[in-house]
Amino acid sequence: MSKKTYGQAINEALRGEMLRDPNVIIIGEDVAGGHGASGEPGGVGGVFGMTAGLYKEFGPERVLDTPISESAIIGAASGAAVTGMRPVAEIMFVDFVGVCFDQIYNQAAKFRYMFGGKAKTPMVIRTAIGAGFRGGAQHSQTLHPLFTMVPGLKVVIPSNAYDAKGLLISAIRDDDPVIFMESKVLYGQSMEVPDEAYRIPFGEANVVREGKDLTFVAFGAMVPRALAVAQTLAAEGISCEVIDPRTTSPLDEDTILESVAKTGRLVIIDESPPRCSLAADVGAMVADKGFRSLKAPIKAVTCPHTPVPFAPNLEDEYMPNPRRIEEAARAVLGYR
Amino acid sequence: MSKKTYGQAINEALRGEMLRDPNVIIIGEDVAGGHGASGEPGGVGGVFGMTAGLYKEFGPERVLDTPISESAIIGAASGAAVTGMRPVAEIMFVDFVGVCFDQIYNQAAKFRYMFGGKAKTPMVIRTAIGAGFRGGAQHSQTLHPLFTMVPGLKVVIPSNAYDAKGLLISAIRDDDPVIFMESKVLYGQSMEVPDEAYRIPFGEANVVREGKDLTFVAFGAMVPRALAVAQTLAAEGISCEVIDPRTTSPLDEDTILESVAKTGRLVIIDESPPRCSLAADVGAMVADKGFRSLKAPIKAVTCPHTPVPFAPNLEDEYMPNPRRIEEAARAVLGYR
Amino acid sequence: MQLSRDDLKRAYRSMFTIRTFEERVDKEFALGNIPGFAHVYLGQEASGVGVCFDLTNDDYIGSTHRGHGHCIAKGCDVHGMMLEIMGKQGGLCGGKGGSMHIADMTKGMLGANAIVGGSPPIAVGAALTQKLKKTGRVAVAFSGDGASNQGTTFEALNMAVVLGVPAIFAFENNGYGEHTASSYAVGAPSIAERARSFGMPAEVVDGSDFFAVHQAMGRALERGRAGEGPYALEIVCSRFLGHFIGDPQAYRLPEELAQARGNDPIPRFRKGVTEAALLDDADLDAIESEVLAEVEDAVAKAMAAPRPDISTLETDVYVRY
Amino acid sequence: MQLSRDDLKRAYRSMFTIRTFEERVDKEFALGNIPGFAHVYLGQEASGVGVCFDLTNDDYIGSTHRGHGHCIAKGCDVHGMMLEIMGKQGGLCGGKGGSMHIADMTKGMLGANAIVGGSPPIAVGAALTQKLKKTGRVAVAFSGDGASNQGTTFEALNMAVVLGVPAIFAFENNGYGEHTASSYAVGAPSIAERARSFGMPAEVVDGSDFFAVHQAMGRALERGRAGEGPYALEIVCSRFLGHFIGDPQAYRLPEELAQARGNDPIPRFRKGVTEAALLDDADLDAIESEVLAEVEDAVAKAMAAPRPDISTLETDVYVRY
Ligand SMILES: Cc1ncc(C[n+]2csc(CCOP(=O)(O)OP(=O)(O)O)c2C)c(N)n1
Ligand SMILES: Cc1ncc(C[n+]2csc(CCOP(=O)(O)OP(=O)(O)O)c2C)c(N)n1
Ligand SMILES: [Mg+2]
Ligand SMILES: [Mg+2]
């Protein structure tokens, strides 16, 4: 056990799984880095450094640099997966999935069903998500709804270093295609993380904070924001429960429904535009299955229906921020 | 005024707009057909025949056949649109958007915002949607949620021939990128459709049937199914209101909320897997803004979280069918 | 080395099975016994069979919407195929896939693919496994001339070169992508030349000549098995019927169609091997009878088979969820 | 015809503006005055300027994540650019775009593009408008060597040939896509050759030589303006700094970097024109002083400018919703 960042936890999970299973390979742009240059290859380890050191330790047959060809990256991963490997592909920023989406949702995710259960596609797509990085409209999206809607895909969105490690290990050992969404703004966050391997199962939400007046459901980088508001409200004697589903597909409906059964009030904090979002998904689920418990409207705190703006002040307002979360909480708490 | 099929209405709208505005062009695979063959080109008019006759009438500068390169088709359309044309691009089946999604959601839909309002991208993407055609997992999807979540895009999903014509004319005259989703199973449905041009505005739902006990919201090919169940229930004295939003982005929230204010009960019928669907979107919207009116849980009738199966009996069960719609309606009506 | 007499019989059986199967699919479709739509491989038999002839069950192929011929050439069971195409229980994919998604992992058949350009990237992945596991096996991506213009296909060509994997790109140029001629939609002077410019050997082959295809594939395979990287074949062939069953193909003049039929790979093979006295008519007729009976039986069984159990609708989405 | 002295001054001004602007971006970034990340064009000035030199405001370009140089070469205002890059009110895109999304429709600048391979299809569309409206104008797609491997780029090449549009593909091969050399990631022997195999003329150009780029572009432009179809240039140049500001680029040895710097297009231009007595040092020094002052002023004004009004967050999504 030692303090590790979210990024280190990811790197450690990758390394541990590569040591454990020779079929685990890494494939993507600059996951090694420096190929064909005058210096040594392998010194980059991905633009965010998540695969740092792995090329030097495992060599070119386990850590494969590719051209900027995302469809071919995903296809190479899924084709390798159905024939016996366990590839971990990297799509540098989730924003880039538009150039390879077919290979994800029509191919890898559908193989098993289309082929009547006769294919197994154990692959992971790691990708960086989220705003707050001043990356502009094409480098700041989250897009977890895009994947959650796809039957055959599993979607993981860890909110802290401990979960990142345990969920990534589960993802790599999983026999289905998994997309693993890493929050850029969390890469540097650190906490105690065990050195050894451990798994966090999919579909089991984490009740990050217990409470009885109001339920917050938050995803990824929104979890710390929900917690912060829960703390503010606690000072006034308002007790908020904070739930981090950790995976959006499968989704742990039971934990959310149990919480709402107790609190009767729900606010969902979701970093994405509002339409067909996870906020909508969870809200609608509770409006059906948890209707009897509800004491107030279900509120969502999302981004507006706009692309991500570049200017820092606009971007800060774009993201669900404590002010907007608190407003929603108070609206729900004050509902009569 | 004369009886026309949904398909004829679309063809008529295209032809009318091409006659009216020389900047309207059509681009896609086999929209003319027969290029380079030993016979005459222009005899195909799209695999569903929606552009039939247009090549012969307007020639190769207005009706452009392309290679099977959807990213280049959409890029060609958006690049032409920002420089003064009004292209109508065809993506044969919506299932194919995965190979060109970047050009839709990151490019065309974001131009205006990223460029601070300085670009105008008047283009339409026509595409065929829906199951029931025995097309299998990669030719039967609906995917309207995928587009609805994209800021900058407008999403149209007509449920009958009259609407198809009026909405397509509006789409072509609209200054923003619009995706126009044509239900394959409706192409042959006919009704009275005016011969002249008329527009149906976006964001105005159609109350297809008035009622007071229960509100159905249904999209595209699900509208006739909802109506059929409404009729069945009417025989028992149950009065269902049926709302067809016609466009999912923008969405006419007011009409839905007014209806729920009256009925207190909502069932959404949406042909797509359940997660982050339009069903979820509408359900969550009402669970927030219409909470006070609700007398029962909001139920959704969707497809299961699976790809579209091929076998006819599986596909029929996959789609929201009258049995499942009726069950949901009764559950909501019987809620105490 | 020349092919043995048994090999020649196997080749003929495979081509004739495709021919018979596809003619029957065409007929059953017209009778309403096949749901949806189907694209038949009539006229292209020598291509699929020539390419797959020396592949083992541990070599892989990725196929297209026009995949029946590839399946048969790769050894898929015609009973399982007919059940699948009719959407019946016991089909190779349990009736969930249909004509455009037939797959059989036990035969190294990675699936027909209803997305044009869907298979090449996947085949690169299958080839990557072979390289990493040093199996000496290869992966073939079948693509049409139309698919040769899809971005995913180009990426796969480049990726295969960069990763140095034993992927073989079999471009079946049947002159058309749907209703548009390749002479219009392929801007390049030649598909093979375009592939070559990506950095791999490429050749143009007469796709109506089984022997030409088989020999060219032999060169590709030699390179692949030796771990020397990818290879491309442009296999020039003819689509006898329309794009899908029911396409009246008014855009092709009768003379063009007649010319295509005039270069039928099956009589051409028969003529070749009988004139060379390698096989005689009796050998070939015997094969034909067997094949006709087998396909007849496959149709009869498929017609009689039940639909998949409704309980299977939600199975097989995940290994575990 | 040779370029006039005024033309030469204009070329030098444009290149030197890019140089000064980018050095300043590098510095302001290090000072924390530029949010996010930025990719500078240092070392590639002769490419952008050579390509854009004879374009009018009615000719279009589509650019890349490394787009500042293209913007300046196409005539975008450096004040508006600096405001945009700093995320300030009055920026060319109102502060909503940032470094990777600068666009100016009034200058025919269709936008930097943060998606590698995003621009080529769009440029084909802009070129299509020119063809249909018979304007004699062209559209240029700038792409890097890395972008030359993206499927969208390949599709655009083929589409441009098939539609016969005046699109010019300017492949700036600066040796790297991020931290990976083009010698690794481009499997083809040559990007130009690969483009040629799609069916268009293509040539390799020394991208450190303004005159070479300008002349090659002249040939491309002649073809485009005459309505004869697309053209490709592989412009070989050097990236002086890392991929983005802050990239230590440990993968490049000092010698490689020194060699790149040794072939700096700006002193090379200066040496050429002064030795030929076309311009003298005083001419060039005067330009430099003006440019330095202009960029200084742009930075000062951008630093002083307010952030965009928060009320603009939700505007400009649609023309009307
Ligand atoms: C991405 C995509 N675009 C379009 C289609 C529709 N489509 C199916 S087959 C086909 C033609 C393919 O032509 P080719 O690759 O030459 O194969 P062939 O049909 O001649 O065997 C098209 C356009 C598709 N299935 N997928
Ligand atoms: C589709 C996509 N994939 C990956 C990236 C990340 N990325 C940004 S720039 C870049 C390298 C581009 O290389 P090149 O085209 O040679 O341009 P250069 O940076 O050398 O100007 C990469 C991989 C991206 N922005 N978009
Ligand atoms: Mg073809
Ligand atoms: Mg480069």
Side-chain angles (χ1 to χ4, degrees):
Chain A
M1 193 83 140
S2 65
K3 258 202 144 120
K4 282 161 202 156
T5 63
Y6 186 91
Q8 284 163 341
I10 288 167
N11 184 266
E12 198 169 277
L14 291 170
R15 180 168 177 270
E17 290 306 292
M18 290 183 81
L19 281 170
R20 194 184 60 84
D21 182 348
N23 289 323
V24 176
I25 57 170
I26 289 182
I27 183 164
E29 293 157 17
D30 289 307
V31 289
H35 270 104
S38 48
E40 286 270 291
V44 176
V47 281
F48 295 106
M50 294 302 108
T51 53
L54 300 178
Y55 179 85
K56 291 196 174 139
E57 183 168 356
F58 298 100
E61 304 237 305
R62 303 286 302 280
V63 181
L64 292 97
D65 270 347
T66 68
I68 308 173
S69 306
E70 281 80 1
S71 287
I73 293 172
I74 300 298
S78 72
V82 282
T83 54
M85 308 302 294
R86 289 192 167 270
V88 181
E90 178 174 310
I91 297 296
M92 201 180 287
F93 288 73
V94 75
D95 310 69
F96 309 160
V97 297
V99 295
C100 60
F101 195 50
D102 183 74
Q103 287 290 328
I104 299 175
Y105 86 110
N106 266 338
Q107 310 293 342
K110 292 196 171 85
F111 284 164
R112 188 169 180 79
Y113 192 81
M114 291 192 301
F115 304 159
K118 288 181 185 155
K120 203 174 82 174
T121 314
M123 64 185 276
V124 179
I125 302 171
R126 291 181 40 251
T127 190
I129 61 168
F133 197 73
R134 317 317 186 196
Q138 295 171 340
H139 277 67
S140 306
Q141 296 165 90
T142 305
L143 302 182
H144 46 311
L146 200 65
F147 302 106
T148 303
M149 64 173 63
V150 178
L153 204 58
K154 293 174 179 170
V155 185
V156 183
I157 180 165
S159 72
N160 63 61
Y162 178 87
D163 286 2
K165 181 169 173 182
L167 290 165
L168 184 49
I169 291 173
S170 293
I172 295 173
R173 296 188 193 174
D174 200 283
D175 280 338
D176 292 306
V178 178
I179 183 153
F180 187 84
M181 312 189 82
E182 305 171 2
S183 290
K184 296 190 281 283
V185 296
L186 297 179
Y187 276 140
Q189 304 285 322
S190 59
M191 67 187 290
E192 291 295 322
V193 175
D195 298 328
E196 65 279 7
Y198 57 94
R199 296 206 235 183
I200 296 177
F202 292 172
E204 292 194 11
N206 185 17
V207 180
V208 185
R209 179 189 175 108
E210 296 202 4
K212 54 181 187 30
D213 299 326
L214 172 68
T215 301
F216 281 132
V217 172
F219 301 91
M222 296 300 100
V223 174
R225 293 185 173 212
L227 268 177
V229 175
Q231 250 141 32
T232 310
L233 294 176
E236 298 176 26
I238 301 167
S239 151
C240 300
E241 184 141 309
V242 179
I243 295 178
D244 170 5
R246 297 199 282 211
T247 60
T248 65
S249 178
L251 178 74
D252 181 354
E253 299 188 351
D254 291 345
T255 298
I256 296 170
L257 289 169
E258 278 160 28
S259 179
V260 175
K262 181 168 64 174
T263 63
R265 294 182 165 86
L266 175 62
V267 171
I268 307 150
I269 301 120
D270 185 23
E271 184 189 340
S272 70
R275 305 299 313 282
C276 300
S277 59
L278 251 299
D281 186 82
V282 170
M285 186 274 290
V286 173
D288 177 4
K289 300 181 185 168
F291 182 74
R292 205 175 288 276
S293 330
L294 283 173
K295 299 183 195 140
I298 299 172
K299 293 260 174 228
V301 186
T302 67
C303 306
H305 186 66
T306 78
V308 185
F310 169 66
N313 63 326
L314 298 184
E315 192 183 26
D316 290 342
E317 185 61 21
Y318 173 88
M319 294 174 78
N321 54 31
R323 194 197 78 246
R324 291 206 280 125
I325 299 171
E326 201 180 311
E327 270 168 28
R330 290 195 193 280
V332 168
L333 288 160
Y335 178 83
R336 293 289 167 269
Chain B
M1 195 83 142
S2 64
K3 257 203 146 119
K4 285 161 200 156
T5 64
Y6 187 90
Q8 284 163 339
I10 288 167
N11 184 267
E12 197 170 278
L14 291 169
R15 179 167 179 271
E17 291 306 292
M18 291 183 80
L19 281 170
R20 194 185 59 85
D21 182 349
N23 289 322
V24 175
I25 56 170
I26 289 182
I27 182 165
E29 294 156 17
D30 288 308
V31 288
H35 270 103
S38 49
E40 285 272 291
V44 177
V47 281
F48 295 107
M50 293 302 109
T51 54
L54 301 179
Y55 179 86
K56 293 198 172 140
E57 182 166 358
F58 297 101
E61 305 236 305
R62 304 285 302 282
V63 180
L64 291 96
D65 270 346
T66 69
I68 307 172
S69 307
E70 281 81 1
S71 286
I73 293 171
I74 301 297
S78 73
V82 283
T83 54
M85 307 301 295
R86 291 192 166 267
V88 180
E90 178 173 312
I91 298 296
M92 202 181 288
F93 288 73
V94 75
D95 310 68
F96 310 160
V97 296
V99 296
C100 61
F101 195 49
D102 184 75
Q103 287 290 329
I104 300 175
Y105 87 111
N106 266 337
Q107 310 294 343
K110 291 195 171 82
F111 284 164
R112 188 168 180 79
Y113 192 80
M114 292 192 299
F115 303 160
K118 288 181 185 156
K120 204 175 82 174
T121 314
M123 64 186 275
V124 179
I125 302 171
R126 290 181 41 250
T127 190
I129 62 169
F133 197 73
R134 318 318 185 195
Q138 295 171 338
H139 277 67
S140 306
Q141 296 166 90
T142 305
L143 302 181
H144 46 311
L146 199 67
F147 303 105
T148 303
M149 62 172 63
V150 178
L153 205 59
K154 293 175 179 170
V155 185
V156 183
I157 180 167
S159 72
N160 62 62
Y162 178 86
D163 286 2
K165 180 168 174 183
L167 290 165
L168 183 50
I169 291 173
S170 293
I172 295 172
R173 297 188 193 175
D174 200 282
D175 280 338
D176 293 305
V178 178
I179 183 155
F180 187 85
M181 312 188 81
E182 304 170 2
S183 290
K184 296 190 279 285
V185 295
L186 298 178
Y187 276 140
Q189 302 287 321
S190 59
M191 67 187 289
E192 290 296 321
V193 175
D195 298 328
E196 63 281 6
Y198 57 95
R199 297 206 236 182
I200 296 177
F202 292 172
E204 292 194 13
N206 185 16
V207 181
V208 184
R209 179 190 176 107
E210 296 201 6
K212 55 182 188 25
D213 299 326
L214 171 68
T215 301
F216 282 132
V217 172
F219 300 92
M222 297 300 101
V223 174
R225 293 184 174 212
L227 267 178
V229 175
Q231 248 140 33
T232 309
L233 294 175
E236 299 175 27
I238 301 167
S239 148
C240 299
E241 184 141 309
V242 179
I243 295 178
D244 170 5
R246 296 198 283 210
T247 61
T248 65
S249 179
L251 178 72
D252 181 352
E253 299 188 349
D254 292 344
T255 299
I256 296 171
L257 289 168
E258 278 160 29
S259 178
V260 175
K262 180 169 62 173
T263 63
R265 294 182 165 87
L266 175 61
V267 171
I268 307 150
I269 301 118
D270 184 22
E271 185 189 339
S272 69
R275 306 299 313 282
C276 299
S277 58
L278 250 299
D281 186 83
V282 170
M285 186 275 290
V286 173
D288 177 2
K289 301 181 184 169
F291 182 74
R292 205 175 289 275
S293 330
L294 284 173
K295 298 183 196 143
I298 299 171
K299 293 259 175 229
V301 186
T302 67
C303 307
H305 186 66
T306 77
V308 185
F310 169 66
N313 62 327
L314 298 184
E315 192 183 28
D316 289 342
E317 185 60 22
Y318 172 88
M319 295 174 79
N321 54 32
R323 193 196 78 246
R324 293 207 279 125
I325 299 169
E326 200 179 313
E327 269 167 28
R330 292 195 192 280
V332 168
L333 288 161
Y335 179 82
R336 290 292 165 269
Chain C
M1 250 313 269
Q2 290 228 126
L3 291 173
S4 70
R5 294 188 66 234
D6 276 354
D7 283 339
L8 295 173
K9 286 188 196 167
R10 180 162 66 90
Y12 192 72
R13 177 182 297 275
S14 190
M15 288 197 289
F16 193 75
T17 304
I18 298 174
R19 175 64 51 99
T20 309
F21 189 90
E22 294 293 65
E23 284 179 341
R24 196 57 188 265
V25 163
D26 189 45
K27 187 171 146 203
E28 297 301 323
F29 190 91
L31 292 171
N33 295 329
I34 293 177
F37 36 109
H39 310 79
V40 295
Y41 197 68
L42 293 169
Q44 306 185 198
E45 295 85 350
S47 170
V49 175
V51 167
C52 295
F53 198 72
D54 289 332
L55 300 181
T56 71
N57 285 345
D58 299 327
D59 292 299
Y60 290 93
I61 67 167
S63 170
T64 70
H65 57 287
R66 198 178 302 287
H68 306 167
H70 306 143
C71 288
I72 291 172
K74 196 68 176 51
C76 293
D77 170 43
V78 296
H79 281 79
M81 286 176 63
M82 193 59 85
L83 284 160
E84 189 60 35
I85 293 168
M86 290 192 173
K88 296 296 184 78
Q89 212 173 87
L92 271 180
C93 304
K96 286 176 173 168
S99 164
M100 293 196 287
H101 305 289
I102 303 179
D104 188 345
M105 299 293 148
T106 66
K107 305 287 184 192
M109 165 62 193
L110 292 173
N113 205 310
I115 300 297
V116 168
S119 276
I122 299 163
V124 168
L128 178 59
T129 300
Q130 310 319 313
K131 177 182 166 165
L132 297 179
K133 299 209 172 203
K134 300 180 179 50
T135 62
R137 302 299 174 194
V138 304
V140 178
F142 283 102
S143 311
D145 47 284
S148 85
N149 299 320
Q150 183 65 259
T152 52
T153 306
F154 295 123
E155 288 191 6
L157 288 168
N158 186 52
M159 184 71 83
V161 172
V162 172
L163 299 182
V165 297
I168 297 167
F169 297 92
F171 290 106
E172 299 185 303
N173 185 349
N174 63 2
Y176 288 90
E178 285 200 351
H179 322 292
T180 298
S182 55
S183 61
Y184 172 85
V186 180
S190 133
I191 294 174
E193 181 53 37
R194 195 163 66 179
R196 192 176 299 125
S197 81
F198 278 79
M200 70 183 74
E203 49 181 300
V204 180
V205 194
D206 177 353
S208 299
D209 178 354
F210 164 79
F211 296 100
V213 177
H214 178 252
Q215 278 161 27
M217 180 65 187
R219 292 182 285 274
L221 209 45
E222 199 180 319
R223 185 171 145 96
R225 298 232 187 275
E228 288 161 9
Y231 206 100
L233 304 173
E234 177 179 353
I235 304 170
V236 179
C237 51
S238 287
R239 191 187 78 193
F240 285 179
L241 295 188
H243 170 58
F244 41 70
I245 302 179
D247 172 10
Q249 47 180 357
Y251 46 93
R252 292 172 86 182
L253 296 181
E255 305 87 83
E256 188 197 334
L257 287 167
Q259 203 190 348
R261 290 272 185 184
N263 196 14
D264 189 326
I266 292 182
R268 183 165 167 180
F269 181 96
R270 182 184 262 264
K271 186 151 177 281
V273 294
T274 50
E275 282 182 5
L278 292 162
L279 296 178
D280 58 28
D281 281 322
D283 294 324
L284 297 166
D285 291 346
I287 291 171
E288 295 195 1
S289 315
E290 284 171 37
V291 166
L292 287 164
E294 189 188 12
V295 171
E296 184 62 48
D297 188 55
V299 171
K301 292 214 170 102
M303 288 293 291
R307 295 268 174 228
D309 197 279
I310 210 81
S311 69
T312 62
L313 171 62
E314 298 194 37
T315 61
D316 302 326
V317 183
Y318 297 91
V319 176
R320 211 167 61 86
Y321 194 55
Chain D
M1 251 311 270
Q2 289 228 128
L3 291 172
S4 71
R5 293 188 65 236
D6 277 353
D7 283 339
L8 295 173
K9 287 187 195 166
R10 179 161 68 88
Y12 192 71
R13 177 183 297 275
S14 189
M15 286 198 288
F16 194 75
T17 305
I18 297 174
R19 175 63 52 97
T20 309
F21 188 89
E22 293 294 64
E23 284 178 342
R24 196 57 187 269
V25 164
D26 190 44
K27 189 171 144 206
E28 296 301 324
F29 189 91
L31 292 171
N33 294 329
I34 293 177
F37 37 109
H39 311 78
V40 295
Y41 197 68
L42 292 168
Q44 306 184 199
E45 295 85 349
S47 170
V49 175
V51 167
C52 296
F53 199 73
D54 289 331
L55 300 181
T56 71
N57 285 345
D58 299 327
D59 292 299
Y60 290 92
I61 66 166
S63 170
T64 71
H65 58 287
R66 198 178 301 288
H68 306 168
H70 306 143
C71 289
I72 292 172
K74 197 67 177 49
C76 293
D77 170 44
V78 295
H79 281 79
M81 286 177 61
M82 192 59 86
L83 284 160
E84 188 60 36
I85 293 169
M86 290 193 173
K88 296 298 183 75
Q89 212 172 88
L92 271 181
C93 304
K96 286 176 175 169
S99 165
M100 294 195 288
H101 305 290
I102 303 179
D104 188 345
M105 298 293 147
T106 66
K107 304 287 184 193
M109 165 62 195
L110 292 174
N113 206 309
I115 300 297
V116 168
S119 276
I122 299 164
V124 169
L128 177 59
T129 300
Q130 310 320 312
K131 177 182 166 162
L132 297 179
K133 299 208 171 204
K134 300 182 179 50
T135 62
R137 303 301 174 191
V138 304
V140 178
F142 282 102
S143 311
D145 47 286
S148 84
N149 300 318
Q150 184 66 258
T152 52
T153 307
F154 295 123
E155 288 190 7
L157 289 168
N158 186 54
M159 185 70 83
V161 172
V162 172
L163 298 182
V165 296
I168 297 168
F169 296 92
F171 289 106
E172 299 185 303
N173 185 349
N174 64 2
Y176 289 90
E178 284 201 353
H179 322 293
T180 298
S182 55
S183 62
Y184 172 85
V186 180
S190 135
I191 294 174
E193 182 53 37
R194 196 164 64 180
R196 192 175 300 125
S197 81
F198 279 79
M200 69 183 75
E203 48 181 302
V204 180
V205 194
D206 177 354
S208 299
D209 179 355
F210 164 80
F211 296 100
V213 177
H214 178 248
Q215 277 159 27
M217 180 65 187
R219 292 182 283 275
L221 209 45
E222 200 180 318
R223 185 170 145 94
R225 298 231 186 275
E228 287 161 8
Y231 205 98
L233 303 173
E234 177 179 355
I235 304 171
V236 179
C237 51
S238 288
R239 190 187 77 192
F240 285 180
L241 296 187
H243 170 59
F244 42 69
I245 301 180
D247 171 9
Q249 47 178 357
Y251 46 91
R252 292 172 86 183
L253 295 180
E255 304 88 84
E256 187 197 333
L257 287 167
Q259 203 190 347
R261 290 272 186 185
N263 195 15
D264 189 326
I266 292 183
R268 183 166 167 180
F269 181 95
R270 182 184 262 264
K271 188 152 175 282
V273 292
T274 50
E275 282 182 5
L278 292 163
L279 296 178
D280 58 28
D281 280 322
D283 293 326
L284 297 165
D285 291 347
I287 291 171
E288 294 196 359
S289 317
E290 284 170 35
V291 166
L292 287 164
E294 189 189 12
V295 171
E296 184 61 47
D297 187 56
V299 171
K301 293 212 169 104
M303 289 292 292
R307 294 267 173 231
D309 196 279
I310 210 79
S311 69
T312 62
L313 172 61
E314 299 193 39
T315 61
D316 302 326
V317 183
Y318 297 91
V319 176
R320 211 167 62 86
Y321 193 54

